[in-house]
Structures are given as structure tokens and as C-alpha cells.
Amino acid sequence: MGGPFSRIASSLLRRRDPVPGLEERVSYFREVLHANNAALGAIAEIQRTLDGEREVTAAEVRRLVTGVAVQTFRMISNLKRLTGGKHRSLLPVFDRVRAEVVRRTQVTPFLGQVGPVVSLDQVRADMAEVVGQKSAFLGEARRVLGGHVPEGFATSSEAYRQFMAAGGLGARIAETIATLTGGDVESCFRVSARITQMIEATAVPRALAEALAAAAAELGRGRQVRFAVRSSALQEGGMEMSFAGQYRSMLNVSGGDVAEAFRSVLASKYAPQAISYRVGRGCEDDEVAMCCCVVEMIDAASAGVLYSACRTEAGTRTLLQAVRGLGLSAVDGSAAPETVLLDPRQRRVTGRRGGKQSALLRCAPGGGTLRDEIEVDDGLIVTDAQALQVAELAWRLESALGQPLDLEWAIDREGRPWVLQVRPQPAHAEGAERPRRERQGGVRVLVDGGARVSGGVASGAVRRVESDLDILRCPPGSVIVTSEASPRLAVLLPRAAGIVADMGEVTSHLATVAREFHVPALFATRDATERLADAAVVTLDAEACVVYEGRVEAVLAETPTRDAGRTSPHLERLESVAPLIVPLTLRDRLASGFSAGKCKTLHDVIRYCHQATVEAMFDLGDRAMRRGAALHRLVSEVPIDCRVLDLGGGLRAGIETTEIGIDDVVCRPMLALWRGLTDPRLSWRKTRPVSLRGFASALVNYNFDQDQRLRAMGEPSYAFVTADYLSLNSRIGYHFSTFDARIGEVIECNYASFRFVGGSTGVDQRSRRAMLIQRLLSARGFETDCRADLVNARIRYRVAAEMEDALEVVGRISGFVNHLDMALTSDALVLEYERAFLAGEFGCHGEANGGPASP
């Protein structure tokens, strides 16, 4: 259509932001370079971590992933400002990649600030780093499901810090944690007891207690409201690290007791099983801030857990498990819940299995909970219609959040369904309906049947465990046998061979942790405690849902032994997201594949931003020269046509000629760089010997090198200078370099970065030159990142004299490697030229055989 609306739309699409002034553009350029260096530094750290060169913690994963994402966004934002609004298509590409990074890592940077208490209506999914993932997801669930999620509020990591600061509590806890002896069970109990006493003796700070009471009163609005105070610790509720059942939930709490419940939940961070879990999963104590999710208590007639996308032999099904009364019985191992399978496509129930429940949990009139015996456990806990109501809520939420979910739900006394807790469905979740393989023939079966909650095979002596004393006495390598699959038994999992329980199910907290630790587990056996004698050697085959008498080598041989040194969950998370961050897939600058829309990784976006920024700066210099701006040509023996633009104080005052010498330059970093570039021992004019065939090959490669054709040979390079700042974009021969530096008396402001790419030969020889540059700069204390023929290097936070020395070295290396790619025909020559430079033979120009020699 050609009407007025289409003409207005076309006009708006053509409109760009106002082009900023020169000094603003240079400042944006510097911001891009700083962000580029920081992002590439983080990528280099990720690579070293994946190569096994350094340990990784949960905090490190968050730091690295957040660092790359934030710095990439910083590049995009400043490129947009620099170019007056160009490259708008880059942001949707970045958002797409970032969303997948967030999905895989559950790391979502939140740049805002919150107080110690936040209304659940204000909590979003991207606030997981300040209120914990459980609160963040429940806030998102309330946005999607409205009144099917209870009203509530979240305490933030700020509330946790305020409590830990009271009376120096945090410092005292750190001293006690330092006495922990690895994952030793007795040590966990000893440390737990000491820290719990400290917390119980510490009052909630007055301001924090008042904030909690005010938030509870606001929700009550004059009613007698009871609350559930649940843990929402940082890192809790992830796909690979759930912390399932390791912390306390305080149920049926009055508004006046919320502060006390908050302290109790915080103290549960130091329960023996929680300490053991963190040690076993490689988490540092100070990485885990304990936040809480406080919601209105739902008096449940029935409740349970739901996995929205469970793998079964019949295809993907939604698995719902239900108990009578409050839902804690479904996850604490005290019951075998009723199981319902639903088809999410046909929206119908496809299967059922009865449960076993001897007692139910209910709200006590005066607060807290009571456990009532169930005399006759018959009839359905949830009808098909009720199961579908709960599943519909899960499916709506799954669609909105874009991933399978693990829900805790309840149906109240009036029949209304509620969602009480949401987290990503564990990556290892699956159905447990049937054995995966047949039983071994000719071997006596002691236990037959149950729910395979964690696959695998194990053999060891039976150890009956019911009490804390049993836990302390349990030897390593035991097959633990218990009546209830209590989450407290998680303290034993790092050293247990396997676990068998009379009660419990696939959705119980202990089952979740067993899968995380890859410990074979068989629950809901009903009578294993009667059939398995203490100290008897058995073989647990969770895949066949049986326990055999004795050690059955044939069964053990079929399943690989659990690797005690398995990859940490943090490394697994980093490995899962690295393909979205690290690879550089963007094609050459002048090829059809180089565009914002072709970016597949954050590294691609970084590369595109840097390339577009450099082009914009060359364009800035070209326009300034065409407008007759005060550009000065630097006359020097260095073979580049360098035009200098003084942004203030970079050149000697009173210059009237267009041509200047280095003596006219006042810019401190440029003087240091030029001392290196003009070192008399360098031989700028000499080319390296190379065969005619090699040179012909180089000419072919030249046609496809993205940086070699960024600037036509002979076109100007530009230096933007002030008294303490230099930004130089230059071509010397067939390679391209960027120098960006600031040198002053404030150490924290001093830095220098250097980027080198390109050459006149094939990629192998160009890559060898890049490797040589990296080795030489690394030897002088630079942080470096090298990929093919591209080198990025940076040095920071040195005194002015050291910074000047560093830039002088960069200048010498730039002269030393000029045309050197032609000579680097083998990896051995890289080491020879490295030795020559370190020996002060800067002017070596190559013998006929390609080896270095002094002039």
C-alpha cells in the first residue's frame, strides 16, 4: 500500500539517531574497546577452564557467563551510539543467543537494586541472583497464572547479608566452616551443631524484623493469615543442582512469627546434609546466600509434585504424584505417592498407579503442623478431573517459560488448584514405570519391584539407616536400606554405593539428589527393610528394579562403575553453554556471511561489533579530513600514513603546519609506542625472503582476508590523542593493528590494549606470527587471547613508567614481526624468532633458509 501510513512508517524506518560529536564518538569507541578486551578475557578464561587448567565454582560460572553477556551488550550499546543508531539488527540477535544462555545456565544478570523484602508481584525471572531462583520462578508463575499462585513476598540476598553482619556472625561462621574436614560425615555434624547454636543466639536485626512484619501485615490486610516460609537460596532449584530437601520449610506460620521462621530457614543452610551437599557439589559456603519465599499458607486436602515433560516408553508424559494433606509427605520419603500419567497433547489421563500412605500432614490450629494416622488408605487421592486441572496450570506455565517444569502443587479444601513452587525440571528426570532390563537368571532375588528413581548398579554390604546415629556409623561403600527416603540421608550419598527404601518415589527430594550424585536408588519397595539383613552383601540393580543376594559380577560388568572423579556440575553447566559463547563462526568481512544476522555466538557478536567500530573510526577520520579538520600528517620512518587528530593537549601548542614530527607530539602513550616503533635496531624497510610460489599463494589468500581489505593499501591510518590517551588504528603492510592506551598518575586508570590481525601469506603462517606475538607479550605480563591470525592483548593497573615500558615493547614487537609471516614456514621457527627477540636481536630479518640472524 502507498497510503500516508506507509509513507510515515518508511520515514520512521529511515530515521536515525543524531550523530554524536567527535569527542563523544571517540569516548564510545574507547568503551567498545574496553568491553571487547573484557569480553575476550572472559572467553579466554572459559577456554582455560574447559581445558582443565583451573577449577570452577558456581560463582565462577555466574561471573564468566555474566561477564561475557554484559560486556557484549556494552559493545552493542556503544556501537549504536557511535554510529548514530546504525546496526540496530544486532540487538535481537544478541537477545536470542542470551536467552538460550540463560535457559542453559539459569544465570540471568539483574542490574537493578532491591531492598531486603520484595513483593512477589514485583519479582521476575531475571531476579534469581538477588532473591533466589525459587522466588524468581514463583513470581513469574504468579504473573502467568494469577490467582492460582498464593500472594507473598521474597527476602533478598540483602536481607541475608544484614543478618550475617549482625554481631560479626558471618565472620564467625567462616572460621567454623574452615575447620570442616572434606566431606567427612562426623565433621559435617560437628560444624552444623556449632553454627546452628551461633544463629539461634543471634537476633534478627530490628530493621529487618520490622520489614518482614510489615510485609506480612500488608498481605493479611486485617485477616488472620498463616504463611509458608520456604528456602530460596541462590543456586537452589537449578536443573543440575537442585539442593532438593536440603533446607527447611516452615509451614503454617503466623505473621508475628515470620522473622523467627526466616531465621530458622537461614539456619537450615547449615544442616549436616546441606553442608555435605555443597561440599559434594563443589560449592563454596559464601556463594550461597539464603533467601526466603514467604507465601500465604494453603490448607491442602491433597498435594504433590508434577514433572511436566517426563520421558516414558510411550513418549513424553506429564507425571503427577499426589498425597493426602500437605505436600511435604510427597517429597520427604514418608509415603509412596499416588502416580498419575497424563498426555500433554491429548489432554487426558493415560495411566495410574496406587500409592501407600500411612499418615498425612495437616495444619495445626495454633500454628505448625500435625501428623495424623490414616486408618484406611483407599480410593483415589486425586480424580482425573483434578489431575487435569493441575496439569493445565503446568502446561500453561511451561508454554510461557519455554521449558519443562517441576511443580509443587496443592488442591485446597474448596477444590481449587494452586501452584506453590516452580523450578526447571531436572535434566535427569524421567519416568520410573518399568524396569529397563530383564533380571539376571540363576541368582537369588531378595527384593523384586519398586520404583527406579536413580539408575545404575552397585554392590556392597547392607547398612540399615534410620537415625542420625545410624548415619554417623554408616561406613563408606554401603548399600543403605531405610524405611523412609528422608532427605537427611543425602549426607551419605557422596560415599554410598546405593540406596533402597520402603517408601519414597521418583519425585522425592532424596531421589532428586541421588540422581545428581549418580547413586543407584530403588524406592517404594514396601518391605526391603524386612527382606535385607544388615551386613549382608547384595547387588542393587536399579535398572531391573531388583536386589540380588551377594556380589553378582555379571550384572556389575554390564554397567560402568560410577566415576568418583566425575565432572563437576559447574563444569557441566559451562560446557553446555560454551558452544553459544566461545566459537567464532562469523565469516570474512567481505564475504556474504558477514552480517549481524549471521552471528550465532556471543563471540560472533563481539567480532562484528569490533569490526563495525573500527570501520566507523576510519570513516570518522576520512570525513574529518574531507571537511578540512585539523588533521596533521606524522612524518616518520614508520611506514604508515598516520594522520593525527588532537582532541586536546595531545600535540605541542602553536603548530601551524600540516606535517609534524614525533617531537611535536605530547601524548604520553603515543611517545612511548613510537619509541618502540622507531627503535634503531629494527629494520622496517627490509622484507622477509619468501619463495615466489609462497608469495603467489599469499596474493590469493589476500583477496579473502577480511582485515587486509578493510583499508586499501596506502590509505591513511588515524591517531586520536590527548595528553594521556591514544587511539591508533593503523595498517602496516598487509596487517591491521589497533592500539588503545591511557597513561597517567592514577594507576587504576592506566591500561593498554593491542589488537593485531592479518598478513600476506596463508593462514598457517599468519597464525604462527600471531602465536609469536602472543608468546612475546605474555612474557612481558600482558593478558593475551590468540585465535588463528588474531591476537588481543591487554595490560592494566601499572604505574606510568611501567605502562610506558609496556607500550615501547608493543612498538618493538610490531616492527619486529613486520612481514615476518613470510618467513614462518614451520612451528620451530616461532621459537627461534622468540629467542632472537628476547635476546635483543630486534633487527633480525631472516636468512635464506628462513632462520633468524642479526644484521
Side-chain angles (χ1 to χ4, degrees):
M1 294 175 62
F5 291 107
S6 62
R7 289 194 294 272
I8 293 172
S10 298
S11 174
L12 289 173
L13 290 172
R14 289 193 301 270
R15 186 179 301 165
R16 292 178 182 161
D17 298 337
V19 177
L22 178 61
E23 292 191 24
E24 285 182 285
R25 295 181 78 175
V26 172
S27 69
Y28 297 147
F29 172 69
R30 291 204 303 263
E31 285 292 310
V32 172
L33 291 184
H34 294 171
N36 177 79
N37 290 340
L40 291 179
I43 287 176
E45 286 189 72
I46 290 173
Q47 290 176 288
R48 288 195 295 271
T49 301
L50 296 178
D51 290 340
E53 296 180 19
R54 56 199 296 273
E55 294 296 324
V56 64
T57 64
E60 276 290 278
V61 173
R62 291 200 305 274
R63 182 182 69 82
L64 292 172
V65 172
T66 299
V68 175
V70 168
Q71 297 301 334
T72 305
F73 181 72
R74 181 182 169 196
M75 292 183 74
I76 295 169
S77 301
N78 283 284
L79 172 62
K80 180 175 177 288
R81 297 185 185 108
L82 170 65
T83 58
K86 293 181 180 178
H87 308 287
R88 296 178 187 272
S89 61
L90 198 56
L91 189 57
V93 174
F94 168 75
D95 285 339
R96 183 188 69 239
V97 178
R98 184 189 60 168
E100 182 61 17
V101 168
V102 169
R103 190 190 72 79
R104 295 188 188 185
T105 63
Q106 293 92 56
V107 174
T108 308
F110 177 71
L111 303 180
Q113 293 183 340
V114 299
V117 177
V118 190
S119 168
L120 203 59
D121 288 332
Q122 297 174 354
V123 171
R124 305 190 309 272
D126 64 356
M127 295 172 67
E129 291 300 302
V130 292
V131 298
Q133 181 160 274
K134 287 167 69 174
S135 288
F137 267 72
L138 197 62
E140 199 69 15
R142 185 163 168 80
R143 179 183 63 79
V144 175
L145 302 179
H148 288 286
V149 176
E151 290 187 287
F153 60 89
T155 69
S156 70
S157 54
E158 175 60 26
Y160 171 78
R161 282 191 290 269
Q162 288 182 16
F163 184 84
M164 296 299 278
L169 178 63
R172 290 186 285 128
I173 287 176
E175 291 177 1
T176 306
I177 285 288
T179 68
L180 190 66
T181 308
D184 178 68
V185 174
E186 185 176 348
S187 180
C188 288
F189 271 84
R190 183 182 65 252
V191 167
S192 172
R194 290 178 181 173
I195 295 177
T196 301
Q197 288 176 353
M198 294 179 195
I199 293 174
E200 289 177 348
T202 302
V204 177
R206 181 177 177 180
L208 177 56
E210 290 176 349
L212 292 169
E218 174 66 23
L219 288 178
R221 301 183 188 91
R223 297 176 294 132
Q224 293 296 317
V225 176
R226 297 284 180 169
F227 297 94
V229 183
R230 304 175 186 272
S231 65
S232 180
L234 301 191
Q235 301 184 46
E236 184 183 2
M239 287 191 292
E240 297 297 337
M241 286 193 303
S242 66
F243 287 80
Q246 304 310 296
Y247 305 131
R248 292 185 70 181
S249 291
M250 305 299 293
L251 304 179
N252 199 26
V253 175
S254 68
D257 291 332
V258 166
E260 184 65 26
F262 163 80
R263 185 174 65 171
S264 296
V265 172
L266 191 148
S268 73
K269 176 188 170 183
Y270 297 100
Q273 69 271 17
I275 294 173
S276 175
Y277 184 95
R278 286 196 295 276
V279 171
R281 302 302 271 160
C283 292
E284 297 294 331
D285 179 67
D286 58 5
E287 295 174 4
V288 183
M290 176 59 77
C291 306
C292 290
C293 185
V294 183
V295 296
E296 188 171 343
M297 185 71 197
I298 302 300
D299 187 12
S302 60
V305 179
L306 177 148
Y307 287 166
S308 67
C310 218
R311 297 192 302 269
T312 72
E313 293 180 353
T316 299
R317 294 291 185 266
T318 294
L319 172 69
L320 181 147
Q321 296 197 312
V323 294
R324 304 183 194 280
L326 301 180
L328 185 61
S329 301
V331 292
D332 69 358
S334 64
E338 178 180 81
T339 297
V340 182
L341 286 177
L342 302 100
D343 188 328
R345 291 189 176 183
Q346 299 182 13
R347 295 302 207 256
R348 66 182 183 89
V349 173
T350 60
R352 277 184 174 273
R353 187 178 69 234
K356 181 178 181 181
Q357 184 178 5
S358 59
L360 63 81
L361 202 66
R362 64 177 177 84
C363 292
T369 59
L370 290 175
R371 189 176 293 274
D372 290 340
E373 297 297 320
I374 299 176
E375 295 183 1
V376 180
D377 183 19
D378 56 4
L380 299 179
I381 296 176
V382 291
T383 65
D384 285 3
Q386 288 175 321
L388 278 166
Q389 280 185 303
V390 174
E392 286 289 351
L393 296 178
W395 294 331
R396 282 173 56 190
L397 201 52
E398 180 184 57
S399 176
L401 298 180
Q403 60 184 308
L405 298 172
D406 171 358
L407 271 68
E408 290 190 19
W409 57 270
I411 296 175
D412 65 20
R413 301 291 175 182
E414 286 72 43
R416 183 180 178 82
W418 296 87
V419 171
L420 307 179
Q421 186 173 299
V422 184
R423 70 183 184 95
Q425 182 176 300
H428 42 64
E430 57 186 323
E433 299 311 300
R434 295 181 181 177
R436 284 181 169 176
R437 64 180 176 215
E438 299 297 323
R439 292 186 309 185
Q440 181 74 22
V443 184
R444 184 184 176 196
V445 174
L446 301 178
V447 174
D448 187 359
R452 183 193 70 250
V453 301
S454 180
V457 175
S459 182
V462 170
R463 189 70 177 193
R464 180 75 178 270
V465 177
E466 301 293 351
S467 67
D468 284 352
L469 185 59
D470 293 335
I471 291 175
L472 287 169
R473 291 175 174 174
C474 184
S478 300
V479 174
I480 297 167
V481 178
T482 184
S483 56
E484 295 185 359
S486 168
R488 289 185 62 79
L489 300 181
V491 72
L492 294 173
L493 290 181
R495 60 180 191 167
I499 185 166
V500 181
D502 290 346
M503 306 300 281
E505 256 290 357
V506 67
T507 57
S508 71
H509 289 323
L510 188 63
T512 299
V513 179
R515 290 192 292 270
E516 291 176 16
F517 279 91
H518 307 289
V519 176
L522 185 65
F523 290 1
T525 61
R526 303 293 194 267
D527 58 0
T529 52
E530 298 175 10
R531 294 176 174 272
L532 301 178
D534 204 44
V537 175
V538 299
T539 298
L540 164 61
D541 185 351
E543 305 297 336
C545 296
V546 295
V547 179
Y548 300 106
E549 182 180 47
R551 182 177 175 86
V552 185
E553 297 294 348
V555 174
L556 293 169
E558 293 180 19
T559 304
T561 303
R562 177 165 55 107
D563 181 10
R566 63 190 179 277
T567 303
S568 78
H570 315 303
L571 188 58
E572 290 172 355
R573 262 205 306 174
L574 201 58
E575 287 173 340
S576 74
V577 80
L580 298 170
I581 296 175
V582 176
L584 186 61
T585 69
L586 202 60
R587 298 182 61 189
D588 292 346
R589 172 67 184 88
L590 296 181
S592 60
F594 194 97
S595 67
K598 297 294 183 180
C599 292
K600 298 177 181 177
T601 68
L602 292 184
H603 201 162
D604 287 342
V605 176
I606 292 165
R607 177 56 194 270
Y608 180 91
C609 283
H610 190 281
Q611 189 76 37
T613 300
V614 169
E615 291 184 8
M617 292 306 290
F618 274 118
D619 180 63
L620 174 61
D622 290 343
R623 291 187 181 190
M625 193 161 60
R626 287 197 298 269
R627 292 196 306 267
L631 288 169
H632 301 273
R633 181 175 179 270
L634 179 63
V635 179
S636 168
E637 60 188 271
V638 180
I640 61 174
D641 180 8
C642 182
R643 308 300 174 95
V644 182
L645 182 59
D646 186 9
L647 299 177
L651 298 179
R652 177 177 56 81
I655 296 177
E656 297 181 353
T657 60
T658 57
E659 292 191 347
I660 61 172
I662 194 63
D663 292 340
D664 296 311
V665 176
V666 179
C667 174
R668 196 169 183 177
M670 187 167 185
L671 287 172
L673 178 66
W674 232 256
R675 283 196 296 273
L677 289 169
T678 56
D679 189 304
R681 294 169 290 179
L682 293 174
S683 301
W684 276 104
R685 300 299 180 182
K686 296 182 179 180
T687 58
R688 311 289 175 178
V690 66
S691 69
L692 182 60
R693 178 180 301 174
F695 187 68
S697 173
L699 290 179
V700 173
N701 281 316
Y702 168 71
N703 289 329
F704 296 97
D705 186 285
Q706 79 274 10
D707 278 309
Q708 288 166 350
R709 289 179 60 184
L710 173 64
R711 299 287 289 170
M713 294 297 291
E715 287 194 8
S717 298
Y718 298 103
F720 302 90
V721 298
T722 67
D724 61 359
Y725 173 73
L726 164 69
S727 171
L728 171 62
N729 302 279
S730 72
R731 172 176 294 289
I732 303 175
Y734 290 99
H735 67 262
F736 174 74
S737 300
T738 298
F739 307 85
D740 185 69
R742 181 183 295 278
I743 300 178
E745 299 309 318
V746 180
I747 295 176
E748 290 76 13
C749 296
N750 289 343
Y751 70 91
S753 65
F754 172 54
R755 182 178 188 268
F756 183 103
V757 67
S760 58
T761 58
V763 66
D764 288 345
Q765 288 174 248
R766 301 199 314 265
S767 297
R768 292 189 186 105
R769 176 164 62 177
M771 183 193 308
L772 174 61
I773 294 171
Q774 181 188 37
R775 293 176 66 90
L776 293 175
L777 289 173
S778 295
R780 294 302 298 264
F782 281 77
E783 305 167 47
T784 60
D785 171 56
C786 181
R787 281 182 167 270
D789 63 344
L790 169 65
V791 182
N792 284 284
R794 62 203 69 84
I795 194 167
R796 299 171 288 180
Y797 313 143
R798 309 294 177 91
V799 298
E802 291 182 18
M803 292 300 305
E804 289 176 345
D805 289 344
L807 274 172
E808 197 168 332
V809 169
V810 171
R812 286 197 197 98
I813 292 174
S814 296
F816 180 73
V817 301
N818 183 42
H819 292 298
L820 192 59
D821 54 328
M822 293 185 179
L824 293 174
T825 55
S826 72
D827 291 344
L829 286 173
V830 173
L831 301 180
E832 286 298 312
Y833 276 100
E834 179 185 10
R835 180 202 59 76
F837 183 88
L838 295 177
E841 300 170 8
F842 304 137
C844 67
H845 54 81
E847 299 282 32
N849 62 3
S854 299

